[in-house]
Amino acid sequence: MLVSYKWLSQYVDLNGISPDELADKLSRTGLEVEGIDTPQEGLKKIVVGDVKECVPHPNSDHLSICQIDVGEEELYQIVCGAPNIEANKKVIVAMPNSRITGNQKIKKGKMRGEVSLGMVCSLEELGYSENVIPKAYADGIYFLPEDATPGTPVFSYLDMDDAIIDISITPNRADALSIRGVAHEVAAIYRKDVCFGERKLVEDKEDNITSHLDVTVLNPEEVTNYRMRMVKDVKVKESPQWLQNVLMNEGIRPVNNIVDVTNYVLLLFGQPLHAFDYEKMASQKVVVRRGEEGEQLVTLDGVERALTSDHIVITNGEQPIALAGIMGGLDSEITETTQTVVIEAATFDPAITRLAAKDFALRSESSSRFEKGVNLQTVEEALSFAASLMAELGEGTVLAGEVVATEDLGKDEVVTITQDKINRVLGTNLTKEEIHEIFLALGFEVALAGETYTVTIPPRRWDIQIEADLIEEVARIYGYDRLPSTLPKGTYVSGGLSNQQQFERNIRQVLEGSGLTEAISYALTTEEKALHFVKNAAPLVSLQSPMSEDHRVLRQNLITSLLTDIQYNVARKNTDLAFYEMGNIFISQGESDLPKQMKHVALAMTGLWQQNSWQVSKTAVDFYLLKGILENLMSSIGLDNKVVFQPTQAYPELHPGRSAELLVEGEVIGVIGQVHPLTGKAYNIPETYVAELDLEGLFNKNRQGIDFQAVAKFPAMKRDIALLVSSEVTNQQLLEVIQKQGGKFLQQVELFDVFQGEKLGLGKKSMAYSLTFQNQEATLTDEEVNSAMKQVELGLVEAFHVEVR
Amino acid sequence: MSLKKQLEALRDETLQKIEQSEALQELNQIRVETLGKKGPITEVLRGMKHLSAEERPVVGSFANEIRDHLTESIEEKKRELEELALNEALRKETIDVTLPGKQIHEGTSHILTQVMEEIEEVFLNMGYKIVEGSEVEQDYYNFERMNIPPNHPARDMQDTFYISNQLLLRTHTSPVQARTMETHDFSKGPLRMISPGKVFRRDSDDATHSHQFHQIEGLVVDEDITMADLKGTLEVVLKQLFGEERDIRLRPSYFPFTEPSVEVDISCFKCGGEGCNVCKGSGWIEVLGAGMVHPNVLEMSGIDPSKYSGFAFGLGPDRMAMLRYGVNDIRAFYQNDRRFLEQFKIKELN
């Protein structure tokens, strides 16, 4: 809402209050000011000019040479390119060395050989938005009133010396969507009175509206106010300067004296009006009803609108002539030939108006006010005011009376509240007198009986209905700055992280310690990506109307998010990457139940792990690096003895020979692998290794805690064993046998060499393990260890026909 | 030459050799040659049997004296040479300490996670608990329970991604609070919680808008919670997050779920209130929205608003990180450019 400081000051005394002060005060008490615009700011030496002579430029087909009186002794010659320049008009002149909009300096110069001492300006050149410039001047210069004095600054003629305060009105304060509403607010915060005066309405007693118009509202509950007045014999023309100025300052384009009055009243009262051309309505009837399927209406903007029974329409008894509360019809538009005007003042159902405005994508100043409510107290006054002003500006006559189809004048709201309640909610110690004074300043009636205030709120503050509303009014007028600062008393409760939250933080810490950087990606993705790296695709959670192709459904895996991140990085020459992400995946449970939400963590690595350096040569990331990181993670959460890596080919996006599922207690809790080269190609990324784990799955497993053992007093013994074995046999298989056969003193088995080569024979490999034995109670003897090793050997030979080397 | 003279000559000769020797090996050889079983001193001592009984002890003692003297000289020279050798060895081992060290890998947590954890810590220390909740919500919990009925104009403040007529991507983390309120047992103490997490708005992504961002909302409900408590709590929290010297300002605002509602500004942490590009010249930066929980919200959660009251607040980690570090494009948080993420490695003290 743009508020003209000059206009506002007509209704409430702003003497001694600068626009800046006013804006700051409004912001601190409830109406947030977004900014203040002073139209004349930055402009310099812009004066009224009187065009005495205007002749075509000899060397140009579009320029004119003008002799202009700018208040100096001699006329100034200025070359002008505007098509509408003519003699005997008062124009806006930028003098030599002046500044126009955009801090642009105007100098004297020559145009096609003719001296030009400055420039004749359009409104746009003074900084006006093209949206507010009257159509007649859209492509040319603007004409000032005939009585403007040459040589004087133009600003006061255009009210550019005003300050326009831009207020952002929250949905609860629709009462301030009008100059009068803001005036009430200013009066309350400065403890002043508002003075709106009364506009005199002269009616033609001989000619009553009822003999010309009959109005019916079919659904009075949706259209609680509907009244009309008529003005006859009007001359439709340009509005007077003052009215054009107000509208342009308020960001509205002046059109003609009739339409401008409806907009003026809209801004002044917050009451949307609509003006119809009576002759073009083609009937003497107005019927307000729901639209019918198949009905059409061409609105003022020239667009044909298909109506349905969801919309309220104004009809002439047969045809729709306006979309209620949103936009009028083109057929009954006010034009230069209009003689009789029918003015409508109404209130339409907020929800129906809102949905209709949404349907037609036509959010207007009118519809947004109907959505949020209007002051029921001034519907009638706004209508009379408009009729009277139209008659004045259009030199017409107001017909006697109005037609009132429905009427709801609103009623005072009565809310009771106690001093104690106010102080208890705010934490203040306000006295009875202080509270009383605030209610009065707001223009409310107050009666105090014992402890209880009975507050009577007029309909113009329809936002106030309950205690909490009144408390807010007291707080903001009293001032939030003045509230005390305390901390909640109450009993102490120990908060803290839940076990699962702590578990997640631990995992993040371990992964970062392992060299992975955390990524946070978008949860919304494409249908394709959502289901990659997912073994059993489940129903997706899809948006009804997505904003873009890339963000249509909620992800079911995090790996693809990381691959997207890698793609982004690789495209920017960041090639060595190690990322992890923790986030939720979603499985739909139908249209009304919440989807299943599960927290996962994914890892992805590509490029070099170790850069070439003066000491070591570069190494690329590989499967075993990522696996090592996972193993370390598992051991840090007490699962290292329980996790099994089992080869898998169930993931089409993974390399079939380089992927494994992680099993804990027989349950799959994750997957690791190299991204399949074809998938990599589709993502445009190089060789990449990925893993994803189900965090809740991990959290719920029987994880080991710390079980302290004193450091062994007796020495451990190490034995190595090298095996020649078929290359089909896996490390896991060998380990299982070694561990089973190794006896109770076997503490640790480490693989220290794997070798495959021609001299070993086809299909053979050598695996070398180091076994550590330890007895906590005594020193181990060679015999004990030898016998354990013997058992290991026997077991391996029996199971895999290994050859001990 | 008498034995004594011989010994003296031997002593002087050997001392000179010791003095001149440059290597341990050489010194060892001198020791073997002079003091060994076949050496001259042993020889002298062996020849003593020809001496008279009076002379024998005198010569013997003199020979021992010389042997001890030489032994000691050799030892001393040996220590000297060893030290030299060690120094030489150390000199040879000298390295260029300005060569780079070995690469150590450590990842960085995402700046949004860092900011959120910093905020979480402040509240955890004040006895709040953290509840995360569901990112997909029912319209009922996201809007109606927040006092925003269907077709309420406030719904325009939050453009929504709908999944079905009942389900949507939460537009704020408030539904977590509604769900927590309805199960909280006030006989076990007041409710103090924060709900951090992802939220979604139907926005086109650009430098200042993101269809996904983060929120941390907080809620305290108990008997006699006042607006002054809200003000005091926010002062403590914002001073911890932005510095002791910050001023805090409350401005009236509107949220359907709180009344009174306020927006909270802090004095600009860059210019201290003078006016700069961070605060757009105003000296103040808006950091959060807050208010007293609307009685309708309490009532819908089964809490008696005549007995209990509460305050709620919400802040945006994305915005906070942008303000604090001067990040000028919100998309940077979700693109995960390595060069962006790794700048936040330094663990700053607050």
Side-chain angles (χ1 to χ4, degrees), chain B residues 10-48:
Chain B
L10 177 69
R11 180 192 67 193
D12 293 346
E13 188 193 342
T14 310
L15 281 176
Q16 200 181 347
K17 275 191 197 160
I18 291 170
E19 183 57 34
Q20 284 166 357
S21 74
E22 283 176 349
L24 283 169
Q25 211 181 344
E26 196 182 331
L27 195 64
N28 199 35
Q29 200 165 344
I30 296 168
R31 188 179 56 80
V32 173
E33 279 171 7
T34 319
L35 305 174
K37 284 193 174 115
K38 289 174 185 166
I41 294 189
T42 317
E43 202 80 342
V44 166
L45 290 173
R46 227 177 258 148
M48 280 207 310

Side-chain angles (χ1 to χ4, degrees), chain A residues 415-435:
Chain A
V415 181
T416 57
I417 193 163
T418 63
Q419 177 192 13
D420 177 59
K421 176 75 183 183
I422 293 172
N423 282 325
R424 242 179 347 126
V425 172
L426 298 180
T428 47
N429 288 307
L430 295 176
T431 63
K432 285 203 174 74
E433 292 69 32
E434 281 174 302
I435 295 169

Side-chain angles (χ1 to χ4, degrees), chain A residues 215-230:
Chain A
V215 183
T216 316
V217 170
L218 292 188
N219 306 307
E221 70 286 354
E222 296 171 357
V223 187
T224 49
N225 281 284
Y226 201 90
R227 56 206 311 150
M228 291 184 136
R229 273 192 177 274
M230 284 174 70

Side-chain angles (χ1 to χ4, degrees), chain A residues 613-687:
Chain A
S613 82
W614 61 280
Q615 267 190 315
V616 287
S617 49
K618 64 184 180 187
T619 45
V621 301
D622 63 13
F623 182 89
Y624 297 108
L625 173 63
L626 187 59
K627 185 177 177 189
I629 289 171
L630 285 185
E631 284 171 335
N632 176 55
L633 176 67
M634 291 300 156
S635 95
S636 76
I637 58 175
L639 282 177
D640 62 340
N641 291 327
K642 292 191 173 162
V643 65
V644 176
F645 289 77
Q646 185 170 288
T648 178
Q649 300 191 343
Y651 300 79
E653 295 81 19
L654 288 175
H655 189 307
R658 294 184 178 182
S659 44
E661 284 182 325
L662 281 75
L663 277 72
V664 175
E665 292 163 356
E667 195 189 316
V668 178
I669 51 86
V671 64
I672 174 176
Q674 180 185 339
V675 174
H676 195 290
L678 292 178
T679 309
K681 207 169 160 191
Y683 279 87
N684 225 341
I685 53 172
E687 187 174 317

